[in-house]
Amino acid sequence: MIDNYQLLEYAKEASHNAYAPYSNFKVGACALYDSGNYYKGCNVENSSYGLSLCAERNALSTAIAAGEQGKLIKLAVFSENTKMCTPCGACRQWIAEFSKGHNVEVIMESQDSHCAIYSINELLPLGFNL
Ligand code: THU
């Protein structure tokens, strides 16, 4: 199973593919499943700004589209623009969707260039759930 540093490295690689001509804020994400499979995503912006897609939701959608049947266990988020690139509120709700019955870990680059790890329950307490 790949470790947190490797997962962040994959998120970094994905960030280089970001389409972010409006914000110039390139983000990458990598979602790891208990199957051992992982899926990368980057942000994809649009001239109608509100339609922009975040890296995290891109990675999770890519996993779904690939037919991944495992449990999401970790998701790394990375941007060269900032340390501690934390998921936005919408992405937290998306991660929570795939965290039902367990507690997904979100990995970010810490201020001292190591891994900062927060659970989705810490990042989204009392999230909406059906
Ligand atoms: N962005 C992400 O990809 N993930 C986040 O969690 C926060 C924001 C993107 C959206 C937009 O393309 C750019 O970063 C600036 O907000």
Side-chain angles (χ1 to χ4, degrees):
M1 192 68 77
I2 62 179
D3 69 15
N4 292 338
Y5 287 98
Q6 184 63 63
L7 204 63
L8 257 187
E9 192 59 34
Y10 288 149
K12 182 178 184 175
E13 284 175 17
S15 76
H16 297 149
N17 295 333
Y19 175 72
Y22 303 103
S23 71
N24 287 316
F25 194 93
K26 293 183 161 197
V27 185
C30 189
L32 178 66
Y33 287 76
D34 65 356
S35 55
N37 296 329
Y38 60 88
Y39 302 88
K40 298 178 186 177
C42 59
N43 55 331
V44 182
E45 297 187 342
N46 191 276
S47 57
S48 178
Y49 295 173
L51 299 181
S52 297
L53 174 65
C54 288
E56 299 90 320
R57 280 178 280 160
N58 191 350
L60 293 170
S61 298
T62 299
I64 294 293
E68 177 59 47
Q69 296 296 312
K71 270 188 182 176
L72 175 66
I73 51 176
K74 296 180 185 196
L75 189 141
V77 191
F78 181 90
S79 176
E80 304 268 18
N81 300 61
T82 184
K83 306 276 189 192
M84 285 295 290
C85 185
T86 63
C88 77
C91 288
R92 291 177 197 206
Q93 183 68 33
W94 261 61
I95 297 163
E97 180 71 25
F98 301 108
S99 188
K100 289 173 182 166
H102 59 298
N103 200 359
V104 171
E105 283 184 345
V106 178
I107 319 294
M108 292 153 284
E109 185 188 30
S110 65
Q111 298 296 347
D112 60 358
S113 300
H114 291 286
C115 293
I117 306 166
Y118 290 85
S119 75
I120 189 61
N121 291 349
E122 285 178 282
L123 295 176
L124 187 69
L126 299 175
F128 179 76
N129 215 334
L130 286 179

